[in-house]
């Protein structure tokens, strides 16, 4: 009697005692049990190998983003067929993710380069949302970089053109704010120093060496102005006191001479 295949796809032989006359019934029972266990173990291992191979094949085919197709050599075994289909679904998910990412990247480039939003004619509808999302993110990134661009114009002492990005008010505003940012912090630093207050560096400029140096410089200028102002007040005070003393002395002398 033959049964299904084992590890090497050989038929399973159902042994009988008369074929092993040299074995006692007890020995034969153990032999038959061990043979059967080994056969089933080999069969399971063989099936697992086929399932792994089928899943990998399904995954690779799923990456092609084609409709599902199961080869005939995976159809005869249900578990192997299911492994192939599972791999295909995982591959299809990965393929869709890649296409969504590619669509989003294309949208980002278009938004960043200020190209009018137009969905490509050959782009499937399922990826339109990804393209639009990428476009919005690209436009936002452009706004952020325009701020840095304006800042670098100031940093390099280049001429500022207020008409830059004229067609894009939000980007133009960011560009302007970037250019004016150093002046803003110059005023803040000078004001703190001119009041002789402790130096507190704003968090947003702690990582910017150029702004930090500028901030310290104008803080010190403010401190110098405070000291000059203090010295002026002291000078005025001393002159006033000295004047009062002198005037008082002369008045006293006049009063004293009249009494004599």
């Amino acid at each position: 009697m033959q049964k299904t295949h084992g590890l090497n796809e050989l038929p399973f032989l159902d042994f009988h005692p008369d074929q092993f006359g040299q074995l006692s019934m007890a020995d034969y029972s153990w032999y038959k049990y061990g043979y059967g266990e080994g056969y089933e173990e080999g069969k399971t291992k063989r099936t697992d190998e086929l399932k792994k191979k089928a899943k990998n094949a399904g995954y690779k085919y799923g990456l092609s983003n084609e409709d599902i197709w199961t080869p005939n050599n995976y159809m005869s075994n249900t578990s192997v067929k299911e492994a192939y289909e599972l791999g295909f679904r995982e591959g299809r998910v990965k393929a869709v993710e890649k296409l969504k990412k590619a669509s989003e990247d294309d949208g980002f480039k278009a938004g960043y380069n200020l190209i009018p939003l137009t969905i490509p004619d050959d782009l499937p509808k399922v990826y339109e949302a990804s393209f639009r999302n990428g476009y919005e993110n690209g436009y936002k990134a452009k706004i952020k970089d325009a701020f840095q661009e304006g800042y670098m114009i100031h940093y390099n002492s280049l001429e500022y053109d207020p008409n830059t990005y004229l067609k894009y008010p939000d980007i133009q505003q960011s560009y302007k704010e970037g250019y004016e940012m150093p002046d803003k912090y110059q005023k803040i630093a000078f004001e703190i120093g001119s009041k002789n207050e402790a130096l507190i560096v704003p968090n947003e400029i702690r990582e910017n060496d150029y702004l930090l140096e500028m901030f310290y410089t104008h803080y010190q200028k403010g401190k110098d102005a405070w000291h000059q102002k203090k010295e002026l007040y002291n000078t005025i005070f001393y002159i006033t006191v000295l004047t009062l003393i002198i005037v008082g002395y002369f008045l006293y002398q006049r009063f004293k001479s009249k009494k004599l």
Side-chain angles (χ1 to χ4, degrees):
M1 176 181 180
Q2 292 188 349
K3 295 186 179 180
T4 54
H5 303 296
L7 174 61
N8 296 317
E9 299 186 343
L10 297 176
F12 176 83
L13 299 178
D14 192 1
F15 296 102
H16 297 280
D18 57 350
Q19 294 176 283
F20 296 92
Q22 71 274 22
L23 298 176
S24 66
M25 287 301 294
D27 290 336
Y28 168 74
S29 296
W30 281 109
Y31 181 88
K32 181 180 179 181
Y33 175 79
Y35 184 91
E37 287 292 305
Y39 178 85
E40 291 300 325
E41 182 179 348
K43 177 183 175 183
T44 300
K45 185 176 181 180
R46 174 64 178 173
T47 301
D48 289 343
E49 290 176 352
L50 289 173
K51 286 167 65 176
K52 183 178 180 180
K53 180 179 178 181
K55 185 177 180 181
N56 288 336
Y59 181 84
K60 290 179 181 179
Y61 187 70
L63 290 175
S64 68
N65 204 35
E66 298 288 342
D67 293 335
I68 189 169
W69 168 76
T70 306
N72 291 332
N73 56 322
Y74 297 135
M75 296 292 288
S76 59
N77 188 308
T78 301
S79 62
V80 174
K81 177 176 177 291
E82 290 175 348
Y84 178 88
E85 293 173 349
L86 175 61
F88 175 85
R89 289 193 295 271
E90 292 178 354
R92 169 61 69 85
V93 169
K94 190 67 175 180
V96 171
E97 288 177 353
K98 286 184 177 180
L99 289 172
K100 283 185 176 180
K101 181 66 168 57
S103 299
E104 189 168 347
D105 289 344
D106 290 341
F108 184 95
K109 292 175 183 177
Y112 188 86
N113 293 316
L114 306 180
I115 299 173
L117 176 59
T118 303
I119 304 298
D121 294 335
D122 59 346
L123 185 68
K125 283 189 174 296
V126 69
Y127 303 119
E128 286 186 7
S130 297
F131 185 89
R132 291 180 184 277
N133 185 57
Y135 188 92
E136 292 177 3
N137 290 335
Y139 191 83
K140 290 177 182 178
K142 185 64 176 180
I143 293 176
K144 182 178 179 180
D145 285 355
F147 181 92
Q148 183 67 16
E149 186 181 348
Y151 162 74
M152 292 305 297
I153 292 292
H154 190 289
Y155 176 80
N156 293 313
S157 301
L158 301 176
E159 184 178 356
Y160 172 74
D161 182 4
N163 293 321
T164 303
Y165 300 117
L166 188 61
K167 295 182 180 180
Y168 309 94
D170 44 359
I171 298 178
Q172 184 185 45
Q173 180 62 28
S174 179
Y175 179 77
K176 179 182 178 183
E177 290 175 358
Y179 179 79
E180 294 176 346
M181 182 178 65
D183 293 335
K184 169 186 173 182
Y185 287 107
Q186 284 179 8
K187 293 177 182 178
I188 293 174
F190 186 86
E191 184 177 353
I192 294 174
S194 65
K195 294 178 180 179
N196 198 33
E197 296 178 353
L199 176 62
I200 300 177
V201 179
N203 291 331
E204 58 269 25
I205 68 170
R206 290 181 182 273
E207 303 299 325
N208 189 311
D209 293 338
Y210 168 69
L211 288 179
L212 274 178
E213 182 179 355
M214 178 212 67
F215 198 84
Y216 290 138
T217 299
H218 284 78
Y219 173 78
Q220 190 57 51
K221 287 182 178 180
K223 290 275 288 186
D224 292 343
W226 179 83
H227 284 297
Q228 292 174 4
K229 190 175 182 180
K230 183 180 179 182
E231 290 176 1
L232 178 61
Y233 285 157
N234 289 339
T235 300
I236 293 174
F237 174 77
Y238 292 137
I239 292 175
T240 301
V241 171
L242 182 59
T243 301
L244 290 174
I245 291 174
I246 294 173
V247 171
Y249 175 77
F250 280 110
L251 290 176
Y252 172 75
Q253 290 296 327
R254 288 182 62 184
F255 176 76
K256 185 178 179 181
S257 61
K258 285 182 179 181
K259 288 184 68 175
L260 295 175

